[in-house]
Amino acid sequence: MSNDLNQFAGLDLLASSVIVLDPEARIVYANPAAENLLERPSKLLQNLALNELFLNSEELFEGFHQALAHQFAEKRQDLILERSGREPLHVHTIVTALDTLETPVLIELRENVQQVKLDREERMHDQNKENKELIRNLAHEIKNPLGGIRGAAQLLELELPEQDISERRAKELREYTQVIIKEADRLQVLVDRLLAPNRLPQVIADVNIHEVCERVRSLIMAEFPKGLSIKRDYDLSIPEFRGDQQQLIQVVLNIAHNAAQALIMRMAEGDAEIIFKTRVVRQVTLAKIRYRLALDLHIIDNGPGIPAEIRDRIFYPLVSGRDGGSGLGLTLAQAFITQHAGVIDCESRPGCTDFRILIPLP
């Protein structure tokens, strides 16, 4: 069989993933790109059945049998192939019938990275617009009656009779009115935070992203001085760009603070870690606009990861993975990054959560 495999040696140089199957739909050959895509070495892939590769191999398996029956020379499909314990693969598949008995079918897998990225960015952009409208309407609906509730509680406290009831009873009633006033104040702070992106004007000036990261680093280290390491992996050639430094500090701080709180358990063990990483990417499309250069900022932590049930909703308002969290930090971060014509995204699994921010550069 090794001599037969020599005929596929040229496929080793391809950037797209290629697997060759025998008549029983078992893998005979996989090129290095396929090893990387499928995250398995060639030795483990050989003799593996096609239906063992993915949890939903039905369409791919059907294409294999059609090729085996020579119903076509080549079949193309866009598929989402699910894998146990890993992110699903968004791929363009090409099933090709070969004129050999021992290896009758070749399957090429091309990852649809760009299309998936564009679809996700478009969804997030639409979601951000909906969030802003929802937040604005909700905040105004809460704000007006809130002022009335607080004012009524203050008047009620002033009207409490001093002589007709005991001092102890008067004290208890004042405690009740104070609870109303304090809770109204707490809700007022929440409403102000909800309205913050719409209220605060942008203060545009030249921004150095590393000054932003260093400011946040000092704040986080002051709050979490033990058991946490914040590492820098900076590209110092990144130019300054026009933006609102205070907004960007708030963005990085919200993400890093969430990461630090998720790392409390690891801080106790002394191996909690956050990484600030900056790079430049070229020829990138953000919100359907092509930019020659963009800042690529990563905030990475080695925490437990974002719970799977909220992973797709973390930028929604009032969604939080932490008890007592307001669920506004990431919503505000997304709003501020959108104001900078950028996008924010997240990839998370146990042991690694990576928030990625892309902002156009001059």
Side-chain angles (χ1 to χ4, degrees):
M1 182 63 73
S2 59
N3 290 333
D4 293 336
L5 290 181
N6 287 337
Q7 64 182 307
F8 303 121
L11 300 177
D12 289 351
L13 304 176
L14 290 182
S16 55
S17 304
V18 175
I19 57 175
V20 180
L21 305 170
D22 69 11
E24 303 298 321
R26 293 189 174 277
I27 296 174
V28 174
Y29 162 84
N31 73 343
E35 295 180 54
N36 291 332
L37 181 69
L38 302 173
E39 299 178 28
R40 300 188 192 185
S42 180
K43 289 181 180 179
L44 291 182
L45 287 172
Q46 281 191 12
N47 293 320
L48 193 69
L50 182 62
N51 58 3
E52 294 176 314
L53 267 183
F54 307 106
L55 300 178
N56 58 337
S57 301
E58 296 83 6
E59 291 184 83
L60 208 54
F61 207 63
E62 182 183 354
F64 166 81
H65 284 296
Q66 290 172 344
L68 201 62
H70 295 284
Q71 293 182 17
F72 55 76
E74 183 179 278
K75 181 178 181 180
R76 295 171 177 262
Q77 287 178 291
D78 286 321
L79 299 176
I80 300 175
L81 300 173
E82 297 178 357
R83 303 178 293 172
S84 178
R86 296 184 177 92
E87 290 290 320
L89 288 175
H90 296 253
V91 291
H92 179 72
T93 64
I94 305 172
V95 181
T96 304
L98 303 178
D99 294 326
T100 53
L101 293 176
E102 291 188 347
T103 55
V105 178
L106 178 148
I107 297 178
E108 185 176 355
L109 305 171
R110 298 178 183 174
E111 211 170 353
N112 287 333
V113 176
Q114 188 62 21
Q115 186 58 50
V116 171
K117 179 174 173 290
L118 289 174
D119 290 345
R120 184 186 301 170
E121 285 178 6
E122 191 168 346
R123 284 198 308 272
M124 290 181 69
H125 180 69
D126 293 341
Q127 171 201 316
N128 186 46
K129 288 197 297 185
E130 292 172 6
N131 285 349
K132 286 173 69 176
E133 190 63 29
L134 170 65
I135 287 170
R136 190 183 300 115
N137 293 336
L138 178 63
H140 283 299
E141 287 296 321
I142 295 172
K143 190 177 181 64
N144 294 331
L146 202 56
I149 292 169
R150 192 183 193 284
Q154 288 177 311
L155 290 173
L156 182 61
E157 187 174 51
L158 293 174
E159 293 295 323
L160 288 176
E162 296 286 349
Q163 298 175 348
D164 297 341
I165 57 176
S166 68
E167 184 179 339
R168 179 180 175 184
R169 181 60 178 159
K171 184 180 179 182
E172 288 177 350
L173 292 174
R174 283 195 178 83
E175 285 178 356
Y176 297 152
T177 56
Q178 282 300 309
V179 167
I180 297 171
I181 291 169
K182 287 177 181 176
E183 287 302 297
D185 288 342
R186 186 178 65 82
L187 286 173
Q188 182 65 56
V189 171
L190 180 63
V191 168
D192 288 340
R193 289 190 66 197
L194 285 168
L195 290 171
N198 304 311
R199 277 183 174 172
L200 298 177
Q202 280 190 283
V203 181
I204 302 298
D206 288 337
V207 176
N208 183 317
I209 193 60
H210 300 124
E211 290 179 4
V212 170
C213 292
E214 287 301 295
R215 174 74 179 277
V216 173
R217 184 179 185 276
S218 63
L219 291 171
I220 296 295
M221 292 303 292
E223 185 176 352
F224 303 93
K226 294 182 179 178
L228 174 64
S229 167
I230 300 183
K231 296 183 177 178
R232 301 102 139 184
D233 182 1
Y234 294 159
D235 179 352
L236 298 179
S237 69
I238 295 174
E240 292 186 345
F241 58 94
R242 302 293 286 175
D244 187 321
Q245 181 165 315
Q246 291 307 312
Q247 284 190 0
L248 293 174
I249 288 173
Q250 192 65 54
V251 168
V252 179
L253 180 60
N254 287 356
I255 297 171
H257 196 265
N258 283 353
Q261 289 178 321
L263 288 166
I264 295 295
M265 298 284 288
R266 298 204 73 148
M267 287 182 201
E269 299 173 6
D271 63 349
E273 181 179 274
I274 297 174
I275 301 172
F276 291 158
K277 177 181 174 182
T278 61
R279 292 292 186 271
V280 170
V281 289
R282 289 173 168 78
Q283 301 301 331
V284 63
T285 302
L286 305 176
K288 299 183 179 180
I289 299 175
R290 191 75 169 172
Y291 295 97
R292 191 174 65 85
L293 292 175
L295 163 69
D296 186 10
L297 168 63
H298 293 258
I299 302 164
I300 306 165
D301 71 74
N302 63 342
I306 297 168
E309 60 271 17
I310 66 167
R311 202 169 291 162
D312 295 332
R313 300 181 291 117
I314 55 172
F315 294 104
Y316 286 26
L318 309 180
V319 173
S320 176
R322 177 172 53 86
D323 291 339
S326 68
L328 291 177
L330 293 180
T331 304
L332 294 175
Q334 186 187 53
F336 288 150
I337 292 300
T338 300
Q339 289 180 13
H340 285 78
V343 296
I344 179 171
D345 198 3
C346 176
E347 298 288 340
S348 182
R349 64 180 187 274
C352 181
T353 296
D354 182 357
F355 278 88
R356 185 189 191 196
I357 296 169
L358 291 168
I359 296 175
L361 290 173

